[in-house]
Amino acid sequence: MKLPTLPSTASSVATTNKVSHLFDLQKARADTPACEKLIHFNNAGASLMPQPVYQAVLDHLQLEQTIGGYEAAAENADKLDSFYSAFANLLNASRDEIAFVENATRAWDMAVYAIPWRAGDRVLVHQSEYSSNYLALLQLAREKRIQIDQVPSGSDGAIDLEQLQEMIHPQTRAIFLTYVPSQSGLVNPAGEVGDIARDNNLLYVLDACQAAGQMPIDVQQIGCDILSGTGRKFLRGPRGTGFLYVRKERLDTLEPPFIDLHSAAWTADHDYEFQANARRFENWECFAAGKIGLAAAANYAMEVGLSQIQQRVFSLAQTLRTELSTIDCVKVHDPGSQRCGIVTFSCENKDAEKLVAELRAEGINTSVTARRNARLDFQQRKVPSAVRASLHYFNNDDEIANFCQVIESKLHQ
Ligand SMILES: *Cc1c(COP(=O)(O)O)cnc(C)c1O
C-alpha cells in the first residue's frame, strides 16, 4: 500500500485537541522533513531531529572538518557551554547540577555506582524500572550485597504510594523510579514519590528518559536527587547523547566510579579532587557536535512548550488507543490513570516482531518490546510481547487513521 501524502493542516489539531490552537503543526512538520515520507511512531525509540537541531550538529562537524576538532571547540565554546544553561532551564535546576553523558544508561550508572553502598542497604523499586537499571541493581546486589525490595502496583498499574510508605525499612537508603517506562503508556507519580523520599530522607533516583521532551519536568517540584535522560527520544536530539542531573546537596557524597583529567584535578603527586559540580560525572572526550545538538534540542522543545507538547502527545496517543481497541483481535496494554504518548498493543494470531516488520515495509515506524526486556513488568501484567507505537507532537490524526487501516489490513491477510 502506498501512503497518501499527509496534509499538515491546522484542522487536524483542532479535531485532536481543541485547547492548543496555538500549536503550530505546520511548522512542526515542516521542520521534520521525514513526515512527508514516513509515519514515524517510534519516538520512544529514536525520534526525528527537527531541522535546526540537525543543522546545529552538521555546522559543528563542518567546522571540525574545516579548522580542526580542538579549534572548533574553542570557536564554539559558548555553544558548548550553553548546554548547561539549556538543561538547567529545561529541568528547573542550576548549571552546576547538569552533566553531559553519552547516553541515559551511563548517566544513571555514573551516579548510582557513585553511591557509597554498604552491605545490607535496601532499595525500593517498581516493576516498571528500565531493564538496564534493574540489571545494574542486580549487580549491586551481588557485589555490594544490597537488597532490592519491589513495591507493588496499585489498581491503576502505577507504583502504590501507600505500600511504598509502608515498605520503608530502617535499612532503606534509596527509592528508584522510572517516570515513564519504556514499555507502556504509564506515567508514574514521580512528585508524590519525591514527597515520600524527602519525608524519609531517602535518596531518590528518577529515570526520566521517556519523560524528557514529552512533558514538563521540574526537579524542584519532584524532589529527585538524581535524574537521567537521553537525547534521541522525545527530546529529538542526536543519538549518542544523554544528560544527568544531580542535586547540589548530594554532589559531595557521590564519588564517580571512573575518573579522568576532566572529572577531577590532579592536585598533588599523591592527591586528586573531583570537580565540585556535576561535571565530575562527565568524560573528557565527548561528542562535541552532539552536545551542541542536544542543547539545541532542549531549546527547541522549550520553544514549542513542554505543556503544549504534553497535551498534544497525550491526546494523540489516546486517540490511537481508542481507534486500536475497535479493531478485532487487538489488545491495548497501557496501564495508568494518566497515560502518555507511548501506546503498546498486541494482536492475536500475529507476532509483534512480524507485524513491526510488515509496518516498516509500508513506511510506518514502530518497535517491539520483547518480554526479556521488560521481564518483571510484562510477567506481572501478563503481556507476551508488544508492538510499541510512540507518538510525538508532529504526528497527526490522518497518520493515526492510516496506521489503523494498515493494521487492520495486515490482520486480515
Ligand atoms: C531508553 C531508555 C533508557 C536508556 O537510554 P539510553 O540512552 O539508551 O542509555 C533508560 N530508561 C528508559 C525508561 C528508557 O526508555
Side-chain angles (χ1 to χ4, degrees):
M1 178 184 140
K2 187 141 179 4
L3 292 172
T5 312
L6 299 160
S8 45
T9 55
S11 67
S12 319
V13 189
T15 53
T16 300
N17 196 335
K18 292 179 177 61
V19 194
S20 61
H21 27 247
L22 292 176
F23 178 79
D24 192 345
L25 180 59
Q26 206 146 8
K27 177 175 190 312
R29 290 180 72 85
D31 279 351
T32 313
C35 284
E36 299 266 325
K37 306 224 164 62
L38 287 173
I39 294 182
H40 192 73
F41 285 180
N42 196 11
N43 297 290
S47 189
L48 300 162
M49 279 185 274
Q51 204 58 32
V53 173
Y54 175 67
Q55 197 57 51
V57 177
L58 279 191
D59 287 349
H60 188 77
L61 283 178
Q62 192 171 35
L63 193 62
E64 286 186 344
Q65 178 77 336
T66 313
I67 66 169
Y70 283 28
E71 294 73 15
E75 193 144 311
N76 274 342
D78 287 351
K79 281 189 187 164
L80 285 160
D81 186 67
S82 76
F83 170 83
Y84 302 97
S85 314
F87 276 79
N89 289 338
L90 184 73
L91 304 173
N92 191 23
S94 76
R95 282 169 49 90
D96 281 347
E97 297 173 314
I98 303 295
F100 177 70
V101 189
E102 64 264 41
N103 57 54
T105 304
R106 280 298 170 265
W108 187 96
D109 287 341
M110 284 299 278
V112 171
Y113 283 85
I115 298 168
W117 297 107
R118 295 168 307 218
D121 283 345
R122 298 169 73 144
V123 300
L124 291 161
V125 302
H126 182 241
Q127 68 190 62
S128 57
E129 191 64 35
Y130 186 64
S131 54
S132 296
N133 301 352
Y134 205 87
L135 286 167
L137 291 175
L138 289 175
Q139 189 183 38
L140 288 168
R142 200 178 274 181
E143 304 279 322
K144 303 280 183 186
R145 319 221 59 79
I146 68 166
Q147 184 180 320
I148 305 169
D149 298 322
Q150 195 194 131
V151 183
S153 299
S155 53
D156 63 351
I159 187 169
D160 185 311
L161 297 169
E162 272 174 37
Q163 303 230 38
L164 169 65
Q165 181 76 56
E166 279 166 21
M167 285 176 72
I168 296 171
H169 184 274
Q171 304 277 84
T172 303
R173 292 279 303 284
I175 302 175
F176 286 87
L177 189 69
T178 292
Y179 200 163
V180 168
S182 207
Q183 65 271 8
S184 79
L186 179 69
V187 181
N188 268 313
E192 286 83 344
V193 170
D195 293 340
I196 294 174
R198 231 179 324 216
D199 290 347
N200 293 278
N201 196 27
L202 298 174
L203 199 64
Y204 178 20
V205 183
L206 184 64
D207 177 331
C209 212
Q210 297 290 3
Q214 194 186 167
M215 58 183 86
I217 298 177
D218 182 330
V219 292
Q220 306 312 332
Q221 241 172 36
I222 293 171
C224 53
D225 297 293
I226 294 167
L227 178 146
S228 55
T230 203
R232 73 182 183 281
K233 298 181 180 174
F234 286 94
L235 266 175
R236 310 185 67 195
R239 294 201 66 176
T241 64
F243 63 93
L244 176 68
Y245 156 83
V246 178
R247 184 173 296 281
K248 232 182 272 142
E249 293 76 17
R250 299 286 193 181
L251 276 168
D252 280 342
T253 65
L254 300 173
E255 287 238 338
F258 301 114
I259 190 167
D260 74 6
L261 78 178
H262 167 77
S263 63
W266 198 357
T267 50
D269 287 4
H270 302 287
D271 207 5
Y272 63 85
E273 259 173 49
F274 275 109
Q275 290 217 42
N277 57 30
R279 281 165 236 188
R280 63 171 56 192
F281 300 102
E282 294 185 340
N283 300 321
W284 187 86
E285 174 59 357
C286 73
F287 177 27
K291 189 175 185 178
I292 290 173
L294 184 52
N299 288 325
Y300 189 92
M302 287 185 280
E303 264 169 47
V304 179
L306 274 306
S307 298
Q308 290 241 64
I309 293 174
Q310 172 174 24
Q311 217 172 44
R312 178 161 172 85
V313 169
F314 283 32
S315 130
L316 282 171
Q318 199 44 45
T319 305
L320 176 57
R321 281 185 203 103
T322 308
E323 299 287 313
L324 279 174
S325 43
T326 65
I327 304 175
D328 277 350
C329 325
V330 171
K331 192 159 188 287
V332 177
H333 295 295
D334 304 313
S337 46
Q338 191 198 21
R339 292 182 291 179
C340 70
I342 298 176
V343 178
T344 54
F345 62 96
S346 56
C347 309
E348 275 169 47
N349 317 325
K350 191 80 162 190
D351 175 65
E353 280 190 40
K354 190 152 182 269
L355 183 56
V356 167
E358 289 178 9
L359 291 171
R360 177 76 195 94
E362 303 277 0
I364 300 175
N365 296 345
T366 56
S367 59
V368 185
T369 307
R371 204 175 234 207
R372 64 179 176 280
N373 293 329
R375 182 176 276 273
L376 293 179
D377 198 20
F378 276 16
Q379 260 167 28
Q380 288 168 44
R381 292 196 285 121
K382 300 185 172 55
V383 177
S385 64
V387 178
R388 181 179 68 180
S390 42
L391 280 66
H392 220 324
Y393 56 82
F394 56 78
N395 292 128
N396 65 21
D397 288 330
D398 301 317
E399 291 176 324
I400 292 173
N402 256 321
F403 180 81
C404 291
Q405 236 174 39
V406 174
I407 295 271
E408 213 155 1
S409 72
K410 294 297 164 194
L411 295 183
H412 296 131
Q413 263 171 17

